[in-house]
Amino acid sequence: MTLTPEIIALLTLDVIFLGLGTLALILSLRIAYRWDYAAVTPLQYRLTKQSTLVAVIIKYIFVLKLPLFLFFIYTCDKLSAVITGAMCASGVVNSIGFGLDLTLFKLFNLYGFGFWLLLHAEDASHVRLAYTRLKLILFALLCVPLFTEIILEIGFFTRLDVSKIVSCCGTLFSAASSSASLSLLFNVDARVWVGIFYLVYTVSLIALWLKSTAGVIVSNTLFLIFALISLIVFFSTYVYELPTHRCPFCLLQKEYYYVGYGLYVMLFTGTFCAVGGGLLASITHTIPYRYWRLSGFFNTAYVVSISAYPLAYYLKNGVWL
Amino acid sequence: MIVVSNVSKMFTQAEECVQALSHVSLHVAQGECVLLKGASGSGKSTLLSLIAGLAQPTSGSIVVDGEEISKMPERLSAKMRRERIGFIFQKFHLIPYLSVQENVTTPLVPENIPLHVIEAKAKRAMERCRIAHKAHMYVHRLSGGEQQRTAIARALVRNPMIVLADEPTANLDRKLSLSLIEELRALKHEGVTLVVATHDPLFFDLDFVDQTIELHHGVLRP
Amino acid sequence: MLFSFRWLLLEYAVRSLFRRFGKNFFIFFILSFLIFILSSVLMIAESIKAELNATLKTLPDMTLQRFVAGKQTLIPVSRVDALLEIQGVGSVTPRIWGYYYFKPAGVNFSVVGLDAYEEPYSATMARLIKDVDWTQRSPSPTMIVGEGVKTILRENYYNDFFNFITPEGQTKKVGIAGVFHSDLALEANDLIVLPKQTAYEIFGMNASDATDIVLKVSANVSEIPTIVAKIIEKFPDLRVVTRDDIRVSYQNIFDYKSGFFLALFCVCAFAFFIIVYDKSNALSSEEKKEIGILKALGWDTDTVLQEKFFESFILSLGAFLFGLATALFYVYALQAPLLRAIFTGYSTLKPPFALPYTLSGSMIVLLFLLSVPVYIAATLIPAWRTSIVDADEVLR
């Protein structure tokens, strides 16, 4: 167990989230069970007030989770200087078996709670608060990944062993990776992944144009997945200008001008607006033009900026990596 | 403008059910001035807060300007209050340690309006109530009359269609009470719907009052 | 929009904070104080660690000490050749050094013997003597001293030379050839470097012995444990201290001390947040009235909540900035009097040194995360309780 001040800060906030989250969960289950908008009983009156507390707690958690996600990556990055063998956050994240799962859970929760806030905003401006029960049930469901994440994080930092020697990203993200699913990625030709990436992007644009809710949701989910795969397998090598250096984390380091933060923000915002707006549309039966316009903008910005790396490399050197 | 139909309101106070209003019905047309009479505890204030959407009736419905405020979620009823209803309270209830202008702009705060619009609106309301020259004075340093005009300016800042006054002359001397009545008269002439809850005899024989309603233990007396 | 910024509300929150000046000032003061203490301790720890790491970098890979009957004794220089035979060993240097107690001032000087033709065993040592004309030969031996030594000697009227007293009771006169000007105050302050021959005379040692032996490893760093095992096999009376051992032992001292401090701090902070919770939970009738007025004027619960949030945020951010600024001044300008004593474990080992400036962006983020969100969490439920006050209170 390593108690650096960074870890203490993350753990303190985790405990707060756990406490407030439990309170919100209990309240929301009770409200969801007893909710009756038409009633004018004191109970319903109390429930209405309590539902604002639930919303406040969730907003608090989400608003902090957003920068904390970056801080988590940053802390891992910093720890990589201490842990032998790790060169960036990926080594630290993977030094514990469930490290990668933890990162994915964090990402999923950001999407989940982001969507919850969209639904909440929709509910609060509805004349009859029609989505209150739905949003509270959704929160209760989201509590499962939220608590899993928090418990995983506490487990992660208490088990993190600084003296253990870990692998660096060079071996983790290669065909020799110990993880079967990861090594599979590298055994397939990178051009296939890149092709799928551009294909899915085109499909997502068409879906936006056709205003097909299901199409937008599915294509953007796929876009997110293949964007990450093609980033690891193909595009990252051009950022590092090294054919063997494939890593989704080193992008975030100073050597590469923290470009990863910008790229990830574009990618995550773009896909979030599409999927979140789409899910919202399927509930409220209206087309969320604003979210989808944003999504189209950010996704395109991501595709343009990530494509610029290999293109610039080719124009400069006349060869592909 | 205001339609109150068959409204009852119960409170639970110390394990006991108190019937604050029972089966009250009322109709106020646009531009009318209605006087709510009754001893304290007769349910006048409760009725006002129900009309303003600050509380919900136990049964019955209240429609204000075509919208059923009694069934609205809080956020929308608040918006309605901001946009269409002005309030003048007992003892004015200005917020201490804020300037006149800050008090007047309080109803505009929740909305995301550009600053210059807010200032223009505040200025207009203050000029109308002849308090603009004291705009940056703290309200607790003002005289009673100035406080009164500030309170009215605050009620009028959004150009409401309805002004609700709750015992506006309680704790005021005769001179101030009379000037308040003149302010109300001016509002009435501008076409604002007025509902005044009071038990001050000064109000009883005013020429601009269209309807007088008396409440007795939560029941309407014709 | 999910969140649109309301400047007027912010202004209202500021006014509201000042309106309840007494209560808020008390909270602001305590919170700033807590943040000040926390930042100071973290900054001192970080600073000493930076100083320590700089020192550690200059240490040799391994130091060999000989133990007889559980006490450290001298090592025969003849062992050097045997050590060089071990694979992976780069260079082996016998060292002659020790402490010389200077009675009139009551201080210990670190005396190191070094020969001009010999390669200095550490990078710092090489840098220290780089600027000094070491080859300059005068009839009597000369030495180079740290600034601290120079000052103490001057106070005792030794300006150009110093008389060492050997164990036999004779005086040994050594001229002062130069002074180190090093930024590494920690290492060089109490240091005296003089020729090996002179050092042997001052300590009354036999020239065939050395105080200890330092060793550089030419192989991979990960081979160090193997080399250590080989050395111990060959010379069971030697104890090997690697650079890592030293680092770990210092680290443990720090972690223990900062852990102890953090535990104490957590108790204080917890008590404080209970007070905050309690204070903001108890609504005065004045506050209830104000909320009632606001609601009647068209504020909804969310607006009131946001106003309360702004209040907590401004208060805690202000306290954070104030605490941080004071801590910066206290630690780096005043050199942290009193609090530095927590870490005396290190400073008593070495003469006084200045805390180097090490504030990083991550430290600021860290302190922010440990103060502002935690404070807001403590006021979250009280703020909600305030915001749900019934508006019709004012109408009754």
Side-chain angles (χ1 to χ4, degrees):
Chain A
M1 177 148 176
T2 320
L3 273 188
T4 70
E6 283 86 0
I7 294 177
I8 293 178
L10 281 171
L11 290 182
T12 311
L13 291 173
D14 274 341
V15 171
I16 292 176
F17 291 159
L18 210 53
L20 288 175
T22 313
L23 176 65
L25 177 64
I26 295 169
L27 286 177
S28 64
L29 285 178
R30 199 170 72 191
I31 301 167
Y33 182 64
R34 317 281 286 271
W35 184 259
D36 175 13
Y37 180 76
V40 281
T41 54
L43 173 75
Q44 173 63 21
Y45 191 57
R46 226 174 27 243
L47 293 183
T48 316
K49 289 181 165 183
Q50 285 172 352
S51 78
T52 61
L53 179 61
V54 174
V56 167
I57 290 175
I58 297 172
K59 275 185 197 165
Y60 172 82
I61 293 178
F62 179 78
V63 167
L64 276 173
K65 279 260 163 226
L66 216 51
L68 276 180
F69 180 66
L70 300 180
F71 189 69
F72 170 77
I73 300 290
Y74 177 83
T75 304
C76 288
D77 217 56
K78 201 177 166 191
L79 281 174
S80 66
V82 183
I83 296 183
T84 327
M87 279 159 65
C88 66
S90 68
V92 180
V93 165
N94 280 294
S95 70
I96 306 282
F98 50 79
L100 202 59
D101 301 328
L102 172 62
T103 318
L104 292 178
F105 262 113
K106 279 179 173 293
L107 202 56
F108 177 80
N109 282 334
L110 285 185
Y111 274 80
F113 281 96
F115 175 69
W116 192 91
L117 287 181
L118 291 187
L119 186 61
H120 169 67
E122 202 64 37
D123 178 51
S125 53
H126 192 274
V127 207
R128 301 187 63 81
L129 300 178
Y131 310 120
T132 302
R133 181 172 276 158
L134 181 68
K135 79 179 180 190
L136 293 173
I137 292 172
L138 177 67
F139 169 68
L141 293 177
L142 283 175
C143 272
V144 178
L146 175 70
F147 291 161
T148 316
E149 179 208 316
I150 292 175
I151 290 163
L152 280 184
E153 183 162 276
I154 293 173
F156 180 78
F157 283 121
T158 45
R159 274 192 226 170
L160 197 63
D161 186 1
V162 185
S163 53
K164 191 179 153 190
I165 296 173
V166 302
S167 322
C168 78
C169 53
T171 50
L172 281 170
F173 296 102
S174 71
S177 172
S178 53
S179 154
S181 51
L182 273 178
S183 66
L184 176 77
L185 296 181
F186 300 97
N187 287 325
V188 178
D189 193 339
R191 276 171 295 184
V192 175
W193 295 120
V194 177
I196 297 179
F197 167 69
Y198 284 113
L199 182 73
V200 172
Y201 170 67
T202 321
V203 170
S204 77
L205 283 187
I206 295 171
L208 276 186
W209 184 58
L210 292 175
K211 297 184 179 50
S212 144
T213 308
V216 169
I217 295 175
V218 172
S219 63
N220 271 278
T221 315
L222 291 175
F223 177 70
L224 176 65
I225 295 169
F226 286 107
L228 288 177
I229 293 176
S230 62
L231 178 72
I232 297 172
V233 174
F234 178 74
F235 291 110
S236 64
T237 56
Y238 284 92
V239 179
Y240 309 130
E241 304 194 329
L242 257 182
T244 52
H245 192 179
R246 302 186 178 102
C247 177
F249 289 101
C250 289
L251 289 170
L252 303 164
Q253 289 183 332
K254 197 181 165 192
E255 287 87 335
Y256 309 104
Y257 310 106
Y258 301 111
V259 65
Y261 289 100
L263 287 174
Y264 284 129
V265 165
M266 282 191 273
L267 178 63
F268 295 151
T269 318
T271 48
F272 170 75
C273 285
V275 177
L279 287 176
L280 202 61
S282 59
I283 293 170
T284 61
H285 306 292
T286 48
I287 302 280
Y289 288 109
R290 208 176 57 203
Y291 295 126
W292 283 2
R293 264 202 303 273
L294 275 176
S295 154
F297 172 76
F298 279 110
N299 282 350
T300 310
Y302 174 78
V303 170
V304 170
S305 21
I306 200 70
S307 309
Y309 275 97
L311 279 179
Y313 185 85
Y314 182 74
L315 289 177
K316 219 161 48 183
N317 302 305
V319 282
W320 300 103
L321 269 179
Chain B
M1 184 49 69
I2 303 170
V3 183
V4 178
S5 21
N6 206 19
V7 159
S8 300
K9 175 74 180 170
M10 315 252 271
F11 285 115
T12 14
Q13 243 171 14
E15 309 281 313
E16 235 178 292
C17 252
V18 182
Q19 182 98 17
L21 288 175
S22 88
H23 307 286
V24 173
S25 295
L26 179 69
H27 189 279
V28 184
Q30 181 161 7
E32 255 190 339
C33 175
V34 178
L35 211 59
L36 280 179
K37 284 203 303 189
S40 50
S42 60
K44 298 181 309 255
S45 299
T46 309
L47 185 55
L48 277 190
S49 64
L50 289 179
I51 292 174
L54 287 169
Q56 293 190 334
T58 316
S59 67
S61 81
I62 296 163
V63 176
V64 174
D65 197 22
E67 289 183 57
E68 192 172 359
I69 200 166
S70 53
K71 289 279 192 298
M72 263 182 205
E74 193 233 356
R75 173 194 264 235
L76 296 181
S77 70
K79 189 168 176 343
M80 182 109 168
R81 274 198 295 285
R82 281 199 300 273
E83 290 173 354
R84 302 182 210 177
I85 301 174
F87 247 112
I88 299 171
F89 305 97
Q90 194 175 6
K91 290 184 264 174
F92 312 132
H93 282 336
L94 295 173
I95 296 167
Y97 302 98
L98 288 186
S99 72
V100 170
Q101 177 163 341
E102 282 158 350
N103 259 291
V104 171
T105 50
T106 321
L108 302 169
V109 168
E111 245 144 295
N112 213 10
I113 328 176
L115 213 58
H116 66 271
V117 178
I118 287 178
E119 273 168 3
K121 277 180 195 267
K123 197 169 171 229
R124 209 171 50 223
M126 287 187 296
E127 272 166 3
R128 174 171 169 183
C129 300
R130 306 179 311 280
I131 194 71
H133 59 290
K134 298 250 162 131
H136 299 289
M137 281 271 278
Y138 284 125
V139 289
H140 56 275
R141 301 225 178 107
L142 297 179
S143 70
E146 287 161 345
Q147 286 191 359
Q148 183 184 68
R149 297 207 294 276
T150 309
I152 297 169
R154 182 174 68 180
L156 298 180
V157 70
R158 289 293 297 257
N159 291 321
M161 308 156 119
I162 300 163
V163 169
L164 305 177
D166 181 39
E167 303 275 7
T169 56
N171 307 312
L172 292 189
D173 58 28
R174 194 183 155 77
K175 195 176 145 228
L176 276 179
S177 300
L178 287 174
S179 81
L180 184 99
I181 289 169
E182 286 317 303
E183 300 282 354
L184 292 179
R185 185 198 300 274
L187 285 180
K188 155 93 182 166
H189 281 303
E190 285 170 33
V192 176
T193 311
L194 288 172
V195 180
V196 183
T198 185
H199 61 277
D200 189 341
L202 275 178
F203 279 92
F204 293 171
D205 309 305
L206 292 174
D207 51 347
F208 65 91
V209 174
D210 302 294
Q211 248 189 93
T212 306
I213 285 155
E214 201 174 338
L215 275 168
H216 190 73
H217 293 301
V219 187
L220 216 59
R221 253 192 211 170
Chain C
M1 268 311 261
L2 283 175
F3 181 80
S4 46
F5 202 78
R6 300 190 257 197
W7 285 106
L8 268 185
L9 197 61
L10 188 68
E11 193 185 327
Y12 190 90
V14 176
R15 294 291 159 103
S16 178
L17 277 176
F18 278 104
R19 222 175 317 147
R20 282 173 271 277
F21 189 78
K23 172 183 152 185
N24 289 322
F25 185 74
F26 167 76
I27 292 175
F28 177 84
F29 181 75
I30 305 275
L31 187 59
S32 322
F33 184 70
L34 281 177
I35 294 168
F36 162 73
I37 297 277
L38 181 67
S39 331
S40 304
V41 169
L42 289 183
M43 281 176 198
I44 296 171
E46 188 94 344
S47 198
I48 293 183
K49 266 186 197 169
E51 179 85 23
L52 176 68
N53 278 335
T55 314
L56 282 176
K57 248 181 225 146
T58 64
L59 289 183
D61 292 332
M62 280 180 209
T63 310
L64 308 184
Q65 298 166 338
R66 181 168 168 238
F67 276 74
V68 171
K71 280 186 178 169
Q72 199 190 333
T73 54
L74 306 174
I75 308 182
V77 179
S78 54
R79 289 188 183 183
V80 168
D81 293 331
L83 285 168
L84 275 170
E85 280 165 19
I86 297 173
Q87 263 197 353
V89 172
S91 70
V92 180
T93 319
R95 291 200 304 186
I96 157 89
W97 66 278
Y99 297 112
Y100 180 84
Y101 184 63
F102 181 46
K103 211 169 178 187
V107 291
N108 268 318
F109 297 141
S110 304
V111 176
V112 173
L114 205 65
D115 271 345
Y117 55 86
E118 210 172 52
E119 184 201 353
Y121 45 80
S122 83
T124 324
M125 201 62 87
R127 217 178 45 184
L128 285 179
I129 58 174
K130 188 183 66 187
D131 300 331
V132 185
D133 185 11
W134 189 246
T135 52
Q136 170 207 336
R137 280 287 167 201
S138 52
S140 67
T142 56
M143 61 182 179
I144 305 164
V145 299
E147 278 178 71
V149 178
K150 175 85 182 166
T151 317
I152 291 170
L153 289 185
R154 197 181 303 126
E155 279 164 11
N156 289 281
Y157 309 109
Y158 288 109
N159 283 323
D160 320 314
F161 70 94
F162 178 63
N163 281 332
F164 285 96
I165 298 168
T166 63
E168 288 87 39
Q170 288 153 341
T171 55
K172 173 80 187 167
K173 186 180 170 186
V174 182
I176 300 174
V179 178
F180 308 122
H181 294 288
S182 168
D183 50 338
L184 265 180
L186 198 57
E187 236 205 6
N189 208 28
D190 69 335
L191 196 64
I192 295 177
V193 178
L194 34 68
K196 264 193 172 170
Q197 181 55 40
T198 321
Y200 278 121
E201 278 177 50
I202 290 169
F203 291 136
M205 277 164 57
N206 197 328
S208 64
D209 285 338
T211 317
D212 53 18
I213 294 180
V214 295
L215 206 147
K216 264 199 192 121
V217 175
S218 60
N220 195 318
V221 181
S222 56
E223 294 294 318
I224 286 181
T226 328
I227 297 172
V228 171
K230 279 184 191 165
I231 293 173
I232 290 178
E233 199 187 342
K234 219 170 196 171
F235 301 109
D237 61 342
L238 287 190
R239 188 169 73 173
V240 185
V241 182
T242 62
R243 182 158 57 187
D244 224 41
D245 292 337
I246 298 175
R247 189 181 63 81
V248 166
S249 66
Y250 277 130
Q251 198 84 38
N252 282 341
I253 295 176
F254 282 137
D255 285 351
Y256 168 73
K257 291 203 166 174
S258 16
F260 184 71
F261 167 79
L262 271 172
L264 269 178
F265 179 82
C266 282
V267 174
C268 295
F270 188 71
F272 169 71
F273 289 121
I274 293 284
I275 294 172
V276 167
Y277 182 86
D278 203 52
K279 258 196 176 276
S280 31
N281 219 356
L283 269 178
S284 63
S285 65
E286 186 124 339
E287 221 170 338
K288 267 189 183 160
K289 200 177 89 180
E290 185 189 326
I291 303 296
I293 299 170
L294 293 176
K295 285 208 167 167
L297 292 176
W299 289 38
D300 52 6
T301 307
D302 270 353
T303 312
V304 180
L305 259 175
Q306 206 179 347
E307 194 266 334
K308 291 284 149 202
F309 163 77
F310 278 152
E311 278 186 33
S312 324
F313 185 73
I314 295 166
L315 185 72
S316 52
L317 186 71
F320 163 71
L321 291 175
F322 184 69
L324 188 70
T326 342
L328 276 176
F329 179 75
Y330 170 76
V331 173
Y332 296 118
L334 301 182
Q335 289 292 315
L338 295 179
L339 261 190
R340 203 167 146 165
I342 293 183
F343 297 98
T344 41
Y346 192 64
S347 53
T348 48
L349 288 178
K350 283 287 179 181
F353 61 96
L355 294 169
Y357 180 76
T358 50
L359 187 71
S360 60
S362 72
M363 178 69 116
I364 296 174
V365 173
L366 174 77
L367 288 168
F368 178 84
L369 284 178
L370 276 174
S371 52
V372 176
V374 179
Y375 177 80
I376 291 176
T379 56
L380 208 58
I381 293 171
W384 169 73
R385 230 175 266 259
T386 313
S387 74
I388 56 162
V389 164
D390 275 326
D392 47 351
E393 304 258 333
V394 275
L395 291 172
R396 249 173 251 159

